[in-house]
Amino acid sequence: MTINSIQTRRFDTLIIGAGGGGLRAALQLAEADASVAVVSKVFPTRSHTVAAQGGMNAALANVLPDNWHWHMFDTVKGSDYLGDQDAIEYMCRAAPKVVYELEHFGVPFSRLDNGRIYQRPFGGQSQNFGGEQAARTCAAADRTGHAILHSLYQQNIRARTHFFDEYFAVDLLKDDEGNVLGAFVFDIHTGEEIIIEAKTTLIATGGAGQLFRTTTNALINTGDGMAMALRAGVPLQDMEFFQFHPTGIAGRGMLITEGARGEGGYLVNAMGERLMERYAPKAKDLASRDVVSRAIYTEVKEGRGCGPNKDHVMLKLDHLGEDVLQKRLPGIRQTCITFLGIDPAEQAIPVYPTAHYTMGGIPTDRYGQVVVPVKDTPEEPVNGLYAAGECACVSVHGANRLGGNSLLDILVFGRSAANHIIGYLKENRYHRPMNEASVEKAWQRLHRWDKTGEGESVERIRADLKKSMEDNCGVFRTQEVLDNGIKEVSAIAERLKEARISDHTGMFNTARVEALELENLMDVALATVYSASARTESRGAHSRIDYPERDDKNWMKHSLYSSEGRKLDYKPVRTKPMSVTSFPPRPRVY
Amino acid sequence: MMPASSDDSALRWRCRRGMLELDIILNEFLDKSYNTISDEQRCLLDQMLDYPDQLLFDLFLANIQSSDKGISELVTTIRQSLTA
Ligand SMILES: Cc1cc2nc3c(=O)[nH]c(=O)nc-3n(C[C@H](O)[C@H](O)[C@H](O)COP(=O)(O)OP(=O)(O)OC[C@H]3O[C@@H](n4cnc5c(N)ncnc54)[C@H](O)[C@@H]3O)c2cc1C
């Protein structure tokens, strides 16, 4: 292979990912007359952002009193004090502006009678630093993600952003000094390979919910950008923090909202016992998410699960009556009828904890610059590389994300990264020379799948990985379980090296895409299980039976996992906000 | 137009969507029942795959009904195959 035989395209900025994060950044750049390429493995408006139906937070105070500082307090507390307070202040202050911009781009937000944007209350929102419930979430009915994605896509078309639809990014390209030069990608339709050279590259590839067997995430969420960063020598931050929801439909993953238990639904095991009475005698089925998740796991583990495989528990709603269900929980009723063929007004729903959101990711500062430790400096920018959205860890969610803060995160930091890139482009007018060895490495990774002969299938290895992650790095974490996870996942990673695919054609070779995605999942799985095994405390979503307390003395720090040597390093949490005084750690009670 | 067969990779890739619900509905349909529908219905499915995700979601979860009889029947067939 010679580089000369591969087509090269040149842009000021390459954005990998066309979800809300990538599209918001692209628009800002295109409007500043930068030449922007957006690469997406699926058609842009089919990115996972479309699934966000709930809404996004901004302290507009349209329904109840509110201000950005209260929003900041809630986010710091929600993060279990692992969030970086400068980034959180930046995000909460920018939120109203970002919402008004979206309104201007054409997002049809739901309105109050007085014409202002309607806001709904969500969990974890308070007035006055922990007081009464606040109403902070702006929504476009129950299709906020869809509305945002479509509006941003249209705006980008208008601004002449160049889209590479259904192109798969294989790896980042960089030179020997560590400057990032673009990416090696291929057209999923034709198999044609392209080098996209760019002065700046922004990763916006979303989360990695597909790490787990039961997940709310679509099949496309395979952590590709995170794995690309790892392979480029960038460590991943805080990967042990993965948000689980206690009640996903067993075997399917979709959420049954907390509202179902709020309306009086309760969980039962195979013997018909109300299991939460044993785990949380007072709060019972309304105990916090991690307590309910662990209770379900324990029942199943100890043989009291339901169904032929005893692998779930049941959520009972039938006692509420058809009228109440139809009036208060119509979406849940329809989901159960569609996917299970059962009506919860008559039968209980099989449920199991479901993986929902990746708090960790590629470490960045609040300008979206990817930052890595170099010698004694914990956060040195990687020249030419940016990240934003769920794949990044800026870190505003710390150990636990609040509902409605993720859409906000992707938009605020997509925009902020673009603004920083605009400044960078003014000072860096020329492309650096391409590095042949780096292209060769990416090319080899892709063509490793051309090998023929005997070997295990990608499907089987993927299923084993997801099951192992669910069993060993899910909601029930002890040293023994996590160390077993390291052992199992490492063994599965070895098996992947010898796997084969049977399709070797160039056109629409989705088997090859899935193989590359599995390699990405594998790298991210290792990062997750190693980071989780090392953190001997419970904080936010990382909840350990053997270390039930938060340990601020030893663990108020970010984890950094590097692929090389599977090493962990740590860096301090940025507890100093931009302009206000810092919120010191307090017990997180609601 | 010649409708695609169920092992057509291009068709499979178009069934990769932004929502888990659609991934499950469409992929299970391809696996279980796509081979049993008529060429005409296959062409209709091809049209439907160009719809936005949110619209497909609303159709499959019976939040709305299509005014087009063919689409509406196809949606019912796809829904039925899910729990068959
Ligand atoms: C069911 C559900 C409901 C949710 N509801 C809410 C909510 O109400 N409010 C809220 O704030 N958050 C919500 N979230 C979270 C939120 O939707 C996501 O965190 C957010 O949309 C992620 O956006 P993103 O731009 O980072 O990535 P995504 O929207 O996931 O986009 C990723 C992009 O990267 C591309 N890509 C990935 N890998 C590659 C590759 N190798 N090559 C080329 N392209 C690639 C994809 O094609 C896609 O375009 C919800 C999440 C789920 C699962």
Side-chain angles (χ1 to χ4, degrees):
Chain A
M1 186 213 55
T2 60
I3 291 190
N4 298 338
S5 63
I6 303 176
Q7 198 201 144
T8 296
R9 302 286 302 269
R10 281 185 161 190
F11 295 89
D12 288 332
T13 302
L14 163 64
I15 297 179
I16 309 174
L23 290 185
R24 183 64 193 83
L27 181 58
Q28 193 82 355
L29 282 156
E31 287 191 328
D33 289 329
S35 70
V36 190
V38 176
V39 171
S40 175
K41 63 181 176 180
V42 294
F43 190 76
T45 52
R46 288 180 205 151
S47 300
H48 192 55
T49 294
V50 79
Q53 298 179 327
M56 67 182 275
N57 299 338
L60 305 181
N62 286 354
V63 171
L64 291 170
D66 206 356
N67 71 54
W68 68 263
H69 203 189
W70 300 346
H71 183 186
M72 176 181 172
F73 169 82
D74 291 338
T75 306
V76 173
K77 178 180 169 191
S79 81
D80 221 353
Y81 301 92
L82 194 74
D84 286 340
Q85 297 195 22
D86 58 340
I88 296 177
E89 176 176 342
Y90 181 82
M91 177 178 83
C92 297
R93 290 183 93 127
K97 185 166 184 189
V98 166
V99 168
Y100 296 136
E101 276 175 355
L102 286 176
E103 188 179 25
H104 176 72
F105 297 150
V107 174
F109 283 110
S110 303
R111 308 235 159 230
L112 295 159
D113 287 342
N114 64 12
R116 292 199 172 152
I117 292 174
Y118 165 76
Q119 298 191 277
R120 56 170 69 125
F122 252 36
Q125 299 178 351
S126 75
Q127 300 179 44
N128 240 323
F129 310 105
E132 298 286 297
Q133 173 75 43
R136 193 173 290 146
T137 307
C138 311
D142 57 357
R143 53 202 60 209
T144 312
H146 162 88
I148 291 174
L149 209 50
H150 279 256
S151 301
L152 287 176
Y153 181 63
Q154 293 304 333
Q155 292 292 336
N156 270 290
I157 296 290
R158 181 190 53 75
R160 297 180 182 281
T161 297
H162 189 103
F163 282 96
F164 288 88
D165 294 340
E166 300 188 314
Y167 276 68
F168 191 91
V170 178
D171 260 322
L172 297 172
L173 301 173
K174 56 173 212 175
D175 63 20
D176 295 338
E177 286 77 53
N179 302 299
V180 172
L181 311 171
F184 179 69
V185 313
F186 69 90
D187 181 349
I188 298 175
H189 285 245
T190 61
E192 188 191 18
E193 293 153 17
I194 311 186
I195 295 166
I196 300 187
E197 278 189 46
K199 297 171 200 160
T200 49
T201 302
L202 170 77
I203 309 177
T205 47
Q210 285 295 320
L211 279 175
F212 299 92
R213 194 174 57 155
T214 311
T215 175
T216 60
N217 284 199
L219 295 176
I220 45 180
N221 285 14
T222 49
D224 296 357
M226 296 179 191
M228 279 183 234
L230 273 177
R231 285 190 296 269
V234 174
L236 291 185
Q237 181 172 324
D238 295 341
M239 290 304 290
E240 62 272 43
F241 299 100
F242 210 103
Q243 190 171 70
F244 290 86
H245 196 285
T247 54
I249 295 187
R252 299 287 206 190
M254 290 82 86
L255 281 188
I256 301 290
T257 79
E258 249 123 17
R261 281 170 288 132
E263 293 295 341
Y266 59 86
L267 297 165
V268 296
N269 63 16
M271 276 82 82
E273 293 165 349
R274 279 193 69 164
L275 57 107
M276 287 312 300
E277 285 179 351
R278 255 183 298 124
Y279 297 90
K282 256 181 145 171
K284 294 193 184 112
D285 293 86
L286 296 180
S288 65
R289 281 185 181 184
D290 58 320
V291 172
V292 180
S293 295
R294 267 207 311 275
I296 297 173
Y297 175 93
T298 307
E299 290 296 299
V300 168
K301 189 89 181 158
E302 293 180 356
R304 293 185 295 278
C306 307
N309 300 323
K310 295 175 168 290
D311 57 1
H312 56 262
V313 300
M314 305 300 282
L315 173 63
K316 270 176 81 66
L317 297 171
D318 51 338
H319 59 288
L320 299 178
E322 195 176 329
D323 283 353
V324 172
L325 281 182
Q326 193 52 37
K327 218 161 101 204
R328 305 248 179 84
L329 303 165
I332 289 181
R333 190 166 180 215
Q334 198 44 255
T335 300
C336 292
I337 293 173
T338 306
F339 289 94
L340 299 169
I342 62 169
D343 184 348
E346 291 162 8
Q347 274 173 280
I349 312 168
V351 293
Y352 196 74
T354 186
H356 190 47
Y357 185 83
T358 321
M359 261 85 66
I362 306 164
T364 72
D365 61 16
R366 67 173 188 271
Y367 308 106
Q369 295 187 100
V370 173
V371 287
V372 296
V374 176
K375 295 204 178 104
D376 294 336
T377 333
E379 301 192 319
E380 196 63 40
V382 177
N383 203 21
L385 187 61
Y386 293 76
E390 195 170 333
C391 68
C393 184
V394 42
S395 122
V396 286
H397 309 301
N400 188 46
R401 172 194 74 119
L402 291 186
N405 262 359
S406 169
L407 285 179
L408 179 61
D409 164 17
I410 67 177
L411 295 161
V412 166
F413 293 104
R415 181 177 179 277
S416 154
N419 284 337
H420 196 274
I421 290 172
I422 292 167
Y424 179 96
L425 291 173
K426 284 196 185 124
E427 283 161 27
N428 295 270
R429 294 177 168 273
Y430 304 102
H431 288 84
R432 291 170 193 272
M434 188 36 73
N435 179 289
E436 192 154 346
S438 171
V439 178
E440 169 82 28
K441 213 165 139 198
W443 188 92
Q444 292 291 355
R445 192 171 104 74
L446 174 65
H447 286 278
R448 163 254 180 279
W449 292 101
D450 295 345
K451 270 197 219 155
T452 52
E454 292 290 296
E456 248 190 297
S457 77
V458 163
E459 292 74 37
R460 180 142 169 224
I461 298 178
R462 186 175 51 219
D464 287 354
L465 173 68
K466 291 169 70 145
K467 167 109 181 32
S468 181
M469 285 298 285
E470 186 158 296
D471 290 347
N472 299 302
C473 201
V475 295
F476 189 94
R477 297 181 173 191
T478 64
Q479 201 61 54
E480 194 189 341
V481 167
L482 290 163
D483 289 348
N484 189 51
I486 291 185
K487 221 170 76 199
E488 279 190 23
V489 175
S490 304
I492 299 171
E494 283 304 307
R495 282 163 52 198
L496 182 59
K497 290 183 186 156
E498 297 308 319
R500 297 282 184 277
I501 54 174
S502 49
D503 184 353
H504 297 284
T505 54
M507 295 201 9
F508 254 113
N509 188 341
T510 48
R512 188 167 68 168
V513 171
E514 287 175 12
L516 292 165
E517 287 176 335
L518 178 59
E519 285 180 335
N520 291 332
L521 275 178
M522 198 64 81
D523 288 341
V524 177
L526 286 165
T528 307
V529 71
Y530 269 92
S531 307
S533 161
R535 186 176 283 270
T536 49
E537 66 156 353
S538 286
R539 184 184 295 270
H542 175 67
S543 149
R544 293 194 44 160
I545 312 293
D546 44 357
Y547 297 94
E549 301 298 327
R550 195 176 76 200
D551 175 0
D552 291 327
K553 194 160 151 264
N554 296 303
W555 284 105
M556 221 172 101
K557 55 187 181 185
H558 296 294
S559 316
L560 290 171
Y561 168 90
S562 308
S563 272
E564 207 186 315
R566 297 187 185 167
K567 244 184 15 246
L568 276 160
D569 195 357
Y570 294 91
K571 68 175 183 186
V573 174
R574 298 168 78 98
T575 50
K576 200 170 159 353
M578 289 159 59
S579 69
V580 289
T581 51
S582 123
F583 292 110
R586 280 202 253 154
R588 197 171 60 116
V589 280
Y590 286 103
Chain B
M1 181 194 96
M2 268 295 287
S5 77
S6 68
D7 51 11
D8 184 294
S9 318
L11 175 65
R12 290 237 166 225
W13 196 250
R14 291 176 73 207
C15 292
R16 277 259 209 139
R17 314 294 294 205
M19 294 175 174
L20 176 71
E21 287 84 348
L22 299 181
D23 282 341
I24 293 177
I25 294 174
L26 293 168
N27 283 291
E28 286 199 11
F29 177 69
L30 287 194
D31 289 339
K32 288 204 242 167
S33 314
Y34 183 78
N35 287 333
T36 66
I37 62 171
S38 64
D39 280 0
E40 204 181 316
Q41 281 191 306
R42 289 183 186 192
C43 293
L44 277 179
L45 179 66
D46 186 74
Q47 257 181 49
M48 273 177 75
L49 290 177
D50 283 337
Y51 289 1
D53 280 17
Q54 186 67 49
L55 178 56
L56 284 180
F57 180 90
D58 285 336
L59 283 170
F60 288 133
L61 274 101
N63 297 334
I64 55 167
Q65 256 215 327
S66 172
S67 53
D68 180 312
K69 193 159 160 276
I71 297 276
S72 181
E73 280 170 8
L74 181 59
V75 167
T76 307
T77 309
I78 295 175
R79 270 174 64 90
Q80 280 165 351
S81 88
L82 199 61
T83 48

